[in-house]
Amino acid sequence: MASAAITLAAEAPKLSSANTGFMLIASALVLIMTPGLAFFYGGMVRVKSTLNMLMMSFISIGIVTILWVLYGFSLAFGTNNSLIGWDTDWFGLHKVGLTELWPGYTIPIFVFMVFQMMFAIITPALISGALADRVKFSAWSLFVALWLTVVYVPVAHWVWGADGWAFKLGVIDFAGGTAVHINAGAGALGVILVIGKRVGFKKDPMRPHSLPLVMLGAGLLWFGWFGFNAGSWLGNDDGVGALMFVNTQVATAAAMLAWLAYEKIRHGAFTTLGAASGAVAGLVAITPSGGAVSPIGAIAVGAIAGVACAAAVGLKFKFGYDDSLDVVGVHMVGGIIGSLLIGFFATGKGQSAATGVFYGDHSFTQLWKQFAGVGAVLAYSLIASAVLAFLLDKTIGMRVTEDEEVGGIDQAEHAETAYDFSGAGGGIAGSAASVLAATESKKVDA
């Protein structure tokens, strides 16, 4: 017995400075994705909504950070229940030791907690793109807090918690295809079905006001996504994190090219918005599958997602729901595709960002497990999000007034505008304005 105890002690994981440092960097990379998302969305809206779009992402950083420390982490990753976690030692992190390791790994609980915090931050922020131009900032802020608690935390536990039912079933979600992207996309659909369309939807032009800003945001997302995906193996002792890094790049490139090809064939042009959207579609699709497929499989996943998501974004016009910035078409559809294609292309390891290793090959057995996970998350998020939006709409109201929406939500909700055009004229225009102002001043004095 004594020798067995010594053997077990020798085999127990020890804190790895290398893995800990790597995971802290990965956490910072995931955080930068939320400002990247803000720029991506901010460039896609009209000028009068730019700041509101930026703020809808940034406020998520503040709200989710506090709630995650207070109770979110405990409920998402606590044990002893298949539907929701519970570990009172983790409430407020008040009993977590500085060097206490995440079970089975070589990084501290604090590091795992903050890495998962960044996932929790960006997920509700993704929803904001579907609601552009028309939601009260106060209502959105309350929605983020409620949605994190009622939707994100339980779903994260199902998929990544050691006792979560989807995890125990064997559903593969390496870094968030179900918990992040399907969750956010279905949630967005639930909310927009409740709050309705923008004023002028399908009538007024609603083109992006700054495509360079969109490309900047897409670039930051692409950059940060390496931490999002490769970091989800919580180290790189066996090369899976490196494989995920490679597959992230490969699938994203394939999806961008596929989206552009579809766009050229269908609409006759290669657009910058298409390149940015295609890249994001590839990032979304490889998120659940990248640790379980080969690089060739990643090319297939990316190419399929690029075409499918490009086709899906037009469905809002056919079915009449106003998904302002294509959250449903890119994140929900891309997440579904990436999750289900595991059943066709999986070649080895690939469980989750949280615990354990699942060895699975492409098979119908794995495919039905993926269907179970996808279907449950989609249905729960859609219904729960719609209920939350309905309750908020009937109490404090979700939408700004029609006049505020038409006049500009930036000015109405934030008393600011993204761009100051007062000095943009210069030269003759500026001089004429100065002369006119001086003349009016003299008339008043007289």
Side-chain angles (χ1 to χ4, degrees), residues 52-434:
N52 181 251
M53 206 71 261
L54 296 174
M55 281 293 289
M56 289 176 83
S57 286
F58 269 81
I59 197 63
S60 183
I61 299 176
I63 293 171
V64 174
T65 295
I66 302 303
L67 297 184
W68 193 251
V69 169
L70 292 178
Y71 62 82
F73 176 65
S74 176
L75 297 181
F77 289 98
T79 55
N80 302 322
N81 192 293
S82 63
L83 296 178
I84 192 71
W86 189 268
D87 193 323
T88 55
D89 288 349
W90 291 349
F91 281 119
L93 306 177
H94 69 292
K95 290 187 178 180
V96 177
L98 291 179
T99 58
E100 186 177 353
L101 299 183
W102 182 245
Y105 286 86
T106 60
I107 61 173
I109 291 177
F110 273 116
V111 175
F112 178 75
M113 182 280 300
V114 80
F115 181 67
Q116 288 298 326
M117 176 194 290
M118 305 313 176
F119 281 64
I121 285 170
I122 197 172
T123 307
L126 291 171
I127 297 173
S128 66
L131 317 179
D133 299 330
R134 59 200 189 275
V135 174
K136 292 179 182 177
F137 187 68
S138 56
W140 166 251
S141 300
L142 183 54
F143 176 83
V144 168
L146 293 173
W147 193 86
L148 174 80
T149 306
V150 176
V151 182
Y152 182 80
V153 163
V155 170
H157 182 73
W158 299 351
V159 175
W160 291 329
D163 288 334
W165 69 264
F167 183 88
K168 290 190 291 187
L169 179 65
V171 176
I172 296 177
D173 186 355
F174 194 95
T178 53
V180 176
H181 297 291
I182 296 174
N183 203 5
L189 181 59
V191 176
I192 59 182
L193 291 177
V194 171
I195 67 170
K197 308 174 183 66
R198 288 169 289 178
V199 175
F201 177 64
K202 294 202 291 188
K203 297 178 182 177
D204 300 336
M206 298 181 179
R207 292 185 293 272
H209 88 279
S210 176
L211 288 170
L213 202 60
V214 173
M215 296 296 279
L216 172 63
L220 286 172
L221 284 169
W222 196 331
F223 175 70
W225 222 292
F226 290 113
F228 193 83
N229 281 357
S232 287
W233 200 243
L234 307 184
N236 194 34
D237 297 329
D238 55 5
V240 177
L243 172 66
M244 186 56 161
F245 193 107
V246 170
N247 284 347
T248 298
Q249 177 68 14
V250 168
T252 305
M256 181 182 67
L257 296 175
W259 186 301
L260 288 173
Y262 175 89
E263 201 172 47
K264 177 64 175 178
I265 294 169
R266 186 71 185 271
H267 305 293
F270 303 112
T271 70
T272 51
L273 182 60
S277 299
V280 173
L283 290 165
V284 169
I286 202 61
T287 291
S289 58
V293 303
S294 69
I296 297 300
I299 293 175
V301 169
I304 293 169
V307 173
C309 291
V313 297
L315 295 178
K316 63 183 180 183
F317 300 109
K318 181 178 180 180
F319 293 111
Y321 62 88
D322 186 8
D323 174 15
S324 306
L325 307 182
D326 303 320
V327 178
V328 176
V330 173
H331 292 277
M332 191 180 83
V333 174
I336 291 171
I337 289 170
S339 297
L340 296 183
L341 288 180
I342 293 172
F344 295 94
F345 298 120
T347 58
K349 293 180 180 179
Q351 176 61 334
S352 76
T355 55
V357 178
F358 180 88
Y359 292 87
D361 292 315
H362 55 88
S363 67
F364 286 110
T365 300
Q366 188 60 47
L367 184 59
W368 82 257
K369 293 178 181 180
Q370 297 304 114
F371 266 111
V374 166
V377 172
L378 195 158
Y380 178 72
S381 182
L382 176 67
I383 295 170
S385 302
V387 170
L388 288 177
F390 178 81
L391 293 175
L392 288 174
D393 195 44
K394 295 302 179 183
T395 51
I396 64 174
M398 282 286 285
R399 294 191 61 148
V400 298
T401 66
E402 184 173 334
D403 288 342
E404 288 173 335
E405 183 179 335
V406 172
I409 197 169
D410 284 358
Q411 191 64 53
E413 290 291 297
H414 307 289
E416 298 172 307
T417 55
Y419 306 101
D420 181 4
F421 296 109
S422 62
I428 296 175
S431 299
S434 300

